[in-house]
Amino acid sequence: MGDLWKTFYESVQDAIALSLLLQIPSLIGALILGKEFSGFDACMRESPFGVNRYACFIIVISDFCLWIVLAGRIISRFLSDLNQLLAKKRGKRAGNP
């Protein structure tokens, strides 16, 4: 279980670090523009000729892209570590240390 727990710990550590990164675009929007943009519906309530509407779209899209990166990283790490663990298990069954 040692390798499995190490893999789990590293995946959780990545998830925490990247989820903190997810907060940066929203924090910038809250500090600079003074508004909290949580989704595309919030963007549609802004004036179509205002800068806040386009800033909102940029913030929401960057949040979405960071979520894609987070999910991709976790899934790829899980699959690569799972393949390594399975390869070790097969090696032990075949008599290789």
Side-chain angles (χ1 to χ4, degrees), residues 49-60:
F49 301 111
V51 175
N52 286 345
R53 185 174 195 164
Y54 302 105
C56 176
F57 280 122
I58 291 170
I59 290 169
V60 172

Side-chain angles (χ1 to χ4, degrees), residues 13-29:
Q13 192 175 20
D14 275 353
I16 290 170
L18 290 173
S19 65
L20 289 175
L21 284 175
L22 282 171
Q23 300 303 318
I24 291 174
S26 299
L27 181 65
I28 289 171

Side-chain angles (χ1 to χ4, degrees), residues 2-13:
D3 289 337
L4 183 61
W5 282 110
K6 181 181 175 191
T7 301
F8 176 75
Y9 175 75
E10 288 173 350
S11 295
V12 168
Q13 192 175 20

Side-chain angles (χ1 to χ4, degrees), residues 54-97:
Y54 302 105
C56 176
F57 280 122
I58 291 170
I59 290 169
V60 172
I61 289 171
S62 66
D63 280 344
F64 180 71
C65 290
L66 285 171
W67 272 110
I68 290 172
V69 168
L70 174 67
R73 241 180 105 91
I74 290 173
I75 291 170
S76 67
R77 177 178 289 240
F78 172 75
L79 292 176
S80 69
D81 289 341
L82 183 64
N83 285 336
Q84 288 176 359
L85 289 172
L86 291 174
K88 281 184 184 179
K89 194 171 234 184
R90 282 188 216 121
K92 286 182 181 180
R93 283 186 185 168
N96 299 334

